[in-house]
Amino acid sequence: MDIKVALVGNPNTGKSTLFNRLTGLNQKIGNFPGITVDKKTGFTKLASGKEAEIIDLPGTYSLYPKSADESIVFQVLADKKNNSHPDVIVLIADASNLKRNMLLYSQVADLGIPMILALNMIDLSTKQGIEINLDKLAEKLGIQVVSISARNNIGIDKLKQAIANTNKIATQFQDVDVNFLAPEAINAIKSKLNSDNDYYALQVLHQHEHLTFFTEKEQEEIEHIEQSHHFESSKIQAAETIARYKHLSTILSDVVIDKGTANKFSFSDKLDAILTHKVWGFAIFLLILFVIFNAIFAWSSYPMDWIETGFGFITSIGHEYLPAGMLTDLLLDGVIAGLGGIFVFIPQIAILFAFISILEDTGYMAPCYLYDG
């Protein structure tokens, strides 16, 4: 095999669709060693004539695992002896929600593996009015950025060409210096594991318990380093996430232009100017109340008649087949008739609350809350 490629991305970014598009029928499914998590692999021909093995890693929102599936991602990317360890990573991001997807990119980039950023669903983001300057983004990140639509087979050939052209020397996401988060612990791990990668050392401190490539003795030594330096995993993870998002905001500020949101707010502002007008606003509000009042009675008439007829039918059948007496009268003329008198108003109440929900969800009317004081 000429090159090994791992597909990494958040859930629901079209990663599996891209895997199927690249590999076609040339796929096989097994399990990752030591764990019952599906391992999907396939093969594809690149434009250069080379053959690439494609590995579809489980979807994850970050390198901090919340499940067994997610723990596989760092385990494969961190262990160079792992059979699935890639030569190249293709990180798939949803082009319509780029900032959220870029957190995972920034973490994976710091592991020092050559990477390509594939912006998927580019056709949908364009329809939503989102414009992304690919050249500027590629220049800022120092990697190849390709726009694709896996579902519609757009940009797949460009992605294959980018894979063939990928430099073996990775560009790290060096703008976020993670060493400041726990310098003594990170340096101790780097010395212990003979590594020069700060972020690899930090991740080992966070999740060494889940990493199967360490021996029992190594696990004990890492645990000792963690405790002796008072390493607070959750606190440091939060600080790292904030630092990354802060820097990503500066990177994407002049790269992503969301005209769709601007148009949406422009229309909303014009509508607000009419609905909150000091004269026409009250007239429109009274008109809306008039429509709701009429709809409650007009739309509920048929279901109310059906409910009333149904309970009347139950009462008549009961009087016909049940023996006459006080208990029968209590059941039919008391309980059944009483329930009918309550249920008959349900259509009106349902329609009223439906209108109130619409008014609240659209922001026309402020939500009402009950205060138990």
Side-chain angles (χ1 to χ4, degrees):
M1 191 56 53
D2 296 311
I3 189 170
K4 195 174 291 185
V5 181
L7 303 183
V8 180
N10 291 178
N12 304 315
T13 54
K15 187 166 57 65
S16 295
T17 304
L18 176 60
F19 174 77
N20 293 332
R21 183 70 68 182
L22 288 171
T23 60
L25 299 175
N26 197 9
Q27 305 175 6
K28 61 180 181 180
I29 298 178
N31 286 335
F32 286 97
I35 190 169
T36 56
V37 174
D38 282 349
K39 176 184 178 182
K40 294 197 296 182
T41 59
F43 304 91
T44 189
K45 282 283 186 183
L46 302 178
S48 60
K50 293 181 180 179
E51 187 175 29
E53 180 182 0
I54 310 297
I55 304 161
D56 185 16
L57 293 180
T60 181
Y61 290 105
S62 77
L63 287 184
Y64 297 106
K66 300 293 188 295
S67 66
D69 289 32
E70 293 184 356
S71 68
I72 288 294
V73 179
F74 180 71
Q75 190 136 249
V76 168
L77 300 182
D79 184 11
K80 294 182 179 180
K81 297 179 181 178
N82 192 302
N83 290 332
S84 300
H85 185 78
D87 302 306
V88 177
I89 295 173
V90 174
L91 192 132
I92 298 94
D94 180 358
S96 64
N97 201 346
L98 189 55
K99 185 176 180 180
R100 185 184 69 181
N101 288 230
M102 289 294 284
L103 173 65
L104 178 61
Y105 162 81
S106 69
Q107 292 177 326
V108 174
D110 272 354
L111 294 178
I113 303 172
M115 184 185 300
I116 299 166
L117 179 61
L119 304 185
N120 196 20
M121 308 181 203
I122 196 68
D123 50 339
L124 295 179
S125 67
T126 301
K127 287 181 181 179
Q128 294 173 11
I130 299 173
E131 295 181 1
I132 302 174
N133 191 323
L134 299 181
D135 293 336
K136 185 176 287 188
L137 181 59
E139 182 182 351
K140 286 188 172 186
L141 299 179
I143 63 170
Q144 297 178 88
V145 179
V146 182
S147 61
I148 65 170
S149 174
R151 179 179 296 178
N152 296 317
N153 198 23
I154 298 173
I156 303 302
D157 290 336
K158 289 183 179 179
L159 178 59
K160 288 183 178 182
Q161 186 63 55
I163 294 173
N165 294 340
T166 301
N167 196 318
K168 292 184 178 180
I169 301 175
T171 300
Q172 288 192 1
F173 199 72
Q174 296 173 338
D175 301 273
V176 179
D177 181 13
V178 297
N179 191 273
F180 81 95
L181 297 170
E184 294 180 355
I186 289 175
N187 291 331
I189 291 292
K190 285 168 62 179
S191 177
K192 161 66 186 165
L193 301 179
N194 194 26
S195 171
D196 60 353
N197 190 306
D198 288 344
Y199 195 59
Y200 170 73
L202 178 63
Q203 283 293 343
V204 167
L205 285 165
H206 278 301
Q207 52 179 305
H208 63 90
E209 299 92 343
H210 308 292
L211 303 178
T212 58
F213 53 83
F214 287 129
T215 64
E216 186 176 343
K217 182 181 178 181
E218 288 174 329
Q219 290 282 13
E220 292 175 356
E221 292 173 344
I222 295 170
E223 183 68 26
H224 175 72
I225 292 173
E226 184 179 347
Q227 292 180 0
S228 62
H229 292 92
H230 307 289
F231 185 81
E232 300 180 66
S233 182
S234 58
K235 186 177 179 180
I236 291 173
Q237 179 181 336
E240 179 205 334
T241 302
I242 293 171
R244 288 189 182 278
Y245 270 125
K246 184 177 180 180
H247 185 73
L248 287 170
S249 295
T250 62
I251 285 182
L252 300 178
S253 60
D254 58 345
V255 170
V256 180
I257 301 173
D258 192 348
K259 293 184 177 179
T261 301
N263 293 336
K264 178 181 176 182
F265 280 114
S266 177
F267 174 76
S268 178
D269 291 340
K270 292 177 182 177
L271 195 61
D272 287 347
I274 299 173
L275 295 178
T276 59
H277 191 272
K278 60 183 180 180
V279 176
W280 300 115
F282 285 106
I284 293 171
F285 179 66
L286 292 175
L287 178 62
I288 291 174
L289 291 181
F290 178 76
V291 171
I292 293 174
F293 180 80
N294 279 275
I296 289 173
F297 289 97
W299 295 357
S300 64
S301 60
Y302 288 108
M304 289 177 72
D305 290 342
W306 297 335
I307 293 172
E308 192 172 4
T309 302
F311 276 93
F313 177 75
I314 294 172
T315 302
S316 63
I317 290 295
H319 279 298
E320 184 177 346
Y321 290 99
L322 294 177
M326 185 172 63
L327 288 177
T328 298
D329 291 340
L330 176 63
L331 175 64
L332 299 178
D333 299 328
V335 177
I336 300 297
L339 289 174
I342 296 173
F343 278 90
V344 75
F345 291 106
I346 288 179
Q348 289 183 330
I349 296 171
I351 293 172
L352 173 62
F353 274 91
F355 274 112
I356 291 175
S357 296
I358 292 172
L359 293 176
E360 289 181 351
D361 291 344
T362 56
Y364 184 71
M365 186 175 76
C368 298
Y369 300 97
L370 293 177
Y371 175 68
D372 184 9

